[in-house]
Every structure is written in C-alpha cells, then in structure tokens.
C-alpha cells in the first residue's frame, strides 16, 4: 500500500445525514463561483507562425485575440479542481460538505472513470457523488439544470457544477479551420442552501434545452471510440482530433440559442428587459452579437471574453459567469441569462436569480 493511501480515511459506512433544509429557504442558490485560466497564452500572432492564418482573419471572423493552453501536468481534473476551490472559497464552504460534483467535459482525463471522480479526490470531497456530463459546450448549462433539480428535491445539499476542458489536447494543430478557435480552462459554481444568516437569491429560475442528434457529424471526434477505434492505419489522418464543419455549425447556432433563451425566459415569466446580463457561450463574437440582436438585448448587457480565452467548450459559460461576478457586473436580485450551443448538437439556456 502506498504511504498516501495508508493515511487516507476510509469511506463513511453509511450515507451521511443531510443537514435539515430550512423551510422556505432557497435550495439551489448560487453560493460561489470560480474559474481557472492556465498561464500559457497563445496569441493569434503565434498561431500565424504555425498555420496559414493571420491575426486579421481570426479577429474579424471570431473576435478572438488569444487563448490559454494548459501545461502538460494540468489535466482536465486539475483545471476543474482549481476552479472548484475558488468557488468553495468564495462560498465559505469546505469541500468535505459537498455531496454532489458534476463535471461537464468532453476532454476528460481518461475514457473512464469520470473526471469528476479525480476532482473529488483532488478536493478531498469524500462524501460527494461525482459524475461527468458530456454535452460538449452546453454541458455546464445541462449540469446546472440537473444539479438544481437534485437540490430542489432534497437529494443533495451542496452541488459543485464544473465546466472543464483541455481542448488543446484534442486539437489538430495543423488544421487552421479549428486550431485557432479553442482554448483550455475551467469554471465552477457551488449551488446549495445558504447558511443561517447568509442571504442568497433562489438560483436557477428556469431552463430550456434541446438536442439534435441528426447533426452529430458536423462537430465531433470521429475516431477513438467504440464505433471507429484508433488504429495504426487511421492514426495519420488525425481523425482522433476535433473535426468541425464550422459554417454548418454556425448556421445552427444563433436560431437555437435564441429559441432556448426565449423559452427559458417565458418559463421564468420574464422578458429581455428583465435581464441584467446575458452570459453566452464564447464560440464566436459574431454568433454572440447575432443572439443579442435577435433578443433585442443591448451590447452593454452582454458579457464577452472570447477575445482573451477563445472557445473553451463546457468551461466557457462557467468561466464567463465567474469573471462577470467578480467584476461586479451583477448583484443580489439580478436576473442573469446563460446560454450555450455545441456538439451533439446540443443547446440550452438558464435564467438565474442571484
Ligand atoms: O463551440 C461549439 C460551437 N462552435 C461554433 O459555434 C463555431 C461556429 N462556426 C464559426 O464560428 C465559423 O464558421 C468559423 C469561425 C469556424 C469560420 O468562419 P466562417 O466565416 O464560417 O469561415 P469559413 O469556414 O466559411 O471559411 C472562409 C474561408 C475559407 O477559405 P475559402 O474556401 O473561402 O477560400 C477557409 O479556408 O476562410 C478560410 N479559413 C481561414 N483562413 C485563414 C478557415 N480558417 C482560416 C484561418 N485563417 N484560421
């Protein structure tokens, strides 16, 4: 037995008793947010030395100027755990109190076990049930929906919802169509019931989501799964790296994101005028502008950081939410609209009252 293993506490014999829920108190309030951005910055200028591209093309087509790339030892779980720690610290909640961890990712540490299990271990969140959610860029939004329902139902008390991606590790760095678009990072929220004396809003008010599996082929990693295993024969084609028909994905993005936003707002009994800030998926500035325009939400109410981080998949909305929160872009009582779109195809929107 390794020394570290012998020091570890055995798992509890019985399921830990849940703290009694306070009648009337919100059960899925947002108690803390966090993010982690790897240090290494990859600029458009540097990409132009790697493939046939230019700062001008990337900036005008996407709005991106730079993105972060994780170090070799920074696995997806490390990124996710760092973001989760920041959320726990902000909430003043110890990892040992967390009883649910959902990690939204499509670039997990391994095929299995779930990256959430590695995060549980890194955090020391010994009593947490932990699993991954694979909905690509929409994963964090789906995760909020799942976690808030489990909390509302009294199944769990504190849930960490994490979006974490190391997309650089599945990027074909010779393909200019995709390699300029993505970056690595992680964001997290802690949902749960506020402590005595702690004031927090109700959290998730409403969600709307959708999937269209008939378009799975326009954004995927086609090789490496059970359908087409990676072999010495197909290795050189780089089909075990991310493939995207950018134009076709673009065509689907705005309409589905707008419909999801409208549906979520309708369910919450709100209109665009009630929204303090929209935090959209950061895949392309033109998509973000298109969504805001169609929803008639003015630019100053749209949070954008795509210029600094590129598209970080399931981490993008979570990272942007934390950045907006720490910048003081919204406060208690404000309604925030989150929306994402990604491979699957998947899409979803969530209205949160802070
Ligand atoms: O997060 C998941 C969801 N993903 C998205 O939402 C991404 C959606 N798609 C997009 O954001 C855009 O389609 C892209 C940014 C990927 C591409 O922009 P586009 O305006 O749709 O360009 P395009 O794919 O139609 O390419 C236009 C031209 C092509 O050249 P030709 O065929 O017109 O001669 C490309 O080969 O631009 C060329 N091109 C580039 N040129 C310089 C493609 N990539 C590059 C590049 N640098 N990096």
């Amino acid at each position: 037995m390794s020394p570290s293993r012998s020091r570890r506490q055995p798992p509890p014999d019985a399921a830990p008793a849940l703290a009694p829920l306070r009648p009337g108190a919100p059960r899925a309030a947002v108690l803390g947010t966090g993010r982690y951005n790897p240090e290494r910055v990859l600029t458009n200028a540097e990409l132009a030395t790697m493939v046939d591209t230019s700062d001008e093309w990337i900036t005008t087509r996407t709005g991106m100027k730079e993105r972060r790339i994780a170090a070799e030892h920074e696995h997806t779980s490390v990124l996710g755990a760092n973001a989760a720690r920041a959320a726990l610290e902000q909430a003043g909640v110890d990892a040992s109190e967390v009883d649910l961890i959902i990690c939204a990712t499509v670039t997990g540490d391994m095929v299995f076990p779930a990256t959430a299990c590695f995060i549980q271990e890194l955090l020391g969140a010994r009593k947490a049930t932990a699993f991954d959610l694979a909905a690509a860029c929409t994963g964090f939004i789906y995760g909020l929906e799942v976690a808030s329902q489990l909390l509302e139902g009294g199944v769990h008390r504190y849930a960490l919802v994490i979006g974490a991606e190391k997309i650089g590790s599945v990027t074909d760095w010779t393909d200019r169509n995709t390699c300029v678009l993505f970056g690595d990072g992680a964001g997290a929220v802690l949902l749960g019931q506020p402590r005595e004396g702690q004031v927090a809003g109700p959290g998730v008010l409403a969600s709307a989501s959708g999937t269209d599996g008939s378009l799975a082929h326009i954004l995927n990693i086609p090789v490496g799964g059970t359908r087409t295993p990676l072999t010495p024969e197909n290795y050189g084609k780089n089909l075990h790296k991310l493939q995207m028909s950018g134009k076709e994905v673009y065509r689907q993005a705005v309409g589905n994101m707008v419909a999801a936003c409208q549906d979520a707002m309708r369910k919450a009994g709100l209109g665009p005028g009630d929204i303090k800030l929209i935090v959209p998926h950061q895949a392309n500035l033109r998509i973000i502008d298109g969504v805001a325009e169609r929803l008639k939400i003015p630019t100053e109410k749209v949070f954008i950081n795509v210029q600094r981080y590129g598209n970080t998949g399931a981490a993008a909305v979570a990272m942007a939410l934390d950045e907006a929160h720490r910048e003081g872009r919204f406060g208690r009582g404000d309604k925030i609209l989150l929306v994402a779109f990604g491979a699957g195809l998947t899409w979803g929107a969530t209205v949160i009252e802070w």
Side-chain angles (χ1 to χ4, degrees):
M1 187 182 283
S2 71
S4 65
R5 185 170 281 194
S6 65
R7 278 201 306 273
R8 290 167 60 164
Q9 296 294 311
D13 292 337
L18 290 175
L21 294 164
R22 275 192 284 137
R27 293 178 172 199
V30 183
L31 302 176
T33 66
R35 73 177 184 283
Y36 178 72
N37 309 121
E39 262 179 42
R40 161 92 162 92
V41 176
L42 178 61
T43 63
N44 290 352
E46 198 175 342
L47 279 164
T49 67
M50 297 159 58
V51 288
D52 181 15
T53 191
S54 64
D55 175 47
E56 199 268 333
W57 191 96
I58 302 171
T59 306
T60 54
R61 299 287 175 133
T62 71
M64 297 169 192
K65 294 303 258 182
E66 58 188 42
R67 65 287 298 143
R68 302 295 178 97
I69 302 297
E72 207 172 322
H73 66 276
E74 289 180 317
H75 317 302
T76 305
S77 60
V78 174
L79 307 179
N82 287 346
R85 278 190 202 99
L88 289 168
E89 192 184 330
Q90 191 180 72
V93 170
D94 194 81
S96 60
E97 296 181 73
V98 173
D99 46 21
L100 176 66
I101 299 173
I102 299 177
C103 179
T105 187
V106 287
T107 53
D109 287 23
M110 296 182 185
V111 173
F112 72 87
T115 297
C117 302
F118 294 115
I119 293 176
Q120 186 229 35
E121 170 69 0
L122 286 168
L123 295 176
R126 295 285 291 154
K127 76 175 183 187
T129 300
F131 61 89
D132 286 358
L133 198 158
C137 305
T138 318
F140 179 69
I141 302 277
Y142 279 18
L144 288 177
E145 195 173 341
V146 172
S148 63
Q149 290 300 312
L150 289 169
L151 294 168
E152 294 291 348
V155 179
H156 298 285
R157 172 72 192 268
Y158 287 118
L160 272 170
V161 183
I162 301 163
E165 301 280 16
K166 192 170 177 179
I167 304 185
S169 66
V170 296
T171 296
D172 177 354
W173 291 105
T174 65
D175 176 12
R176 70 173 185 174
N177 290 295
T178 53
C179 77
V180 304
L181 303 173
F182 297 93
D184 302 336
V189 298
L190 181 75
L191 301 179
Q193 194 177 82
R195 294 176 188 285
E196 283 301 329
Q198 193 181 19
V199 187
V204 174
L205 295 182
S207 299
S209 55
T211 301
D212 183 356
S214 73
L215 293 174
H217 58 282
I218 66 176
L219 176 49
N220 62 10
I221 297 180
V223 165
T226 56
R227 187 179 292 213
T228 314
L230 184 63
T231 61
E233 287 72 40
N234 63 28
Y235 181 82
K237 295 179 182 161
N238 270 350
L239 295 173
H240 58 297
K241 303 289 183 180
L242 185 150
Q243 311 289 318
M244 179 167 74
S245 308
K247 238 186 178 38
E248 287 181 62
V249 175
Y250 193 121
R251 231 177 265 133
Q252 299 293 327
V254 177
N256 283 307
M257 289 169 84
V258 168
C261 287
Q262 287 169 334
D263 204 10
M265 286 190 289
R266 184 185 51 74
K267 287 180 183 168
L270 302 171
D274 301 309
I275 300 298
K276 174 77 174 180
L277 191 71
I278 174 168
V279 181
H281 179 45
Q282 309 284 319
N284 188 320
L285 187 55
R286 291 185 292 150
I287 293 175
I288 296 172
D289 286 346
V291 170
E293 199 182 308
R294 294 255 306 262
L295 290 172
K296 297 191 170 48
I297 291 182
T299 320
E300 60 274 15
K301 284 185 167 187
V302 184
F303 190 80
I304 296 166
N305 64 9
V306 68
Q307 67 281 10
R308 273 175 282 124
Y309 304 122
N311 181 350
T312 54
V317 171
M319 281 165 53
L321 181 66
D322 178 64
E323 197 167 323
H325 185 212
R326 286 172 196 264
E327 281 180 12
R329 293 286 298 269
F330 54 83
R332 174 101 172 89
D334 286 335
K335 277 100 177 168
I336 317 300
L337 176 61
L338 312 181
V339 60
F341 180 84
L345 298 176
T346 56
W347 56 88
T350 294
V351 183
I352 292 179
E353 181 174 336
W354 217 258

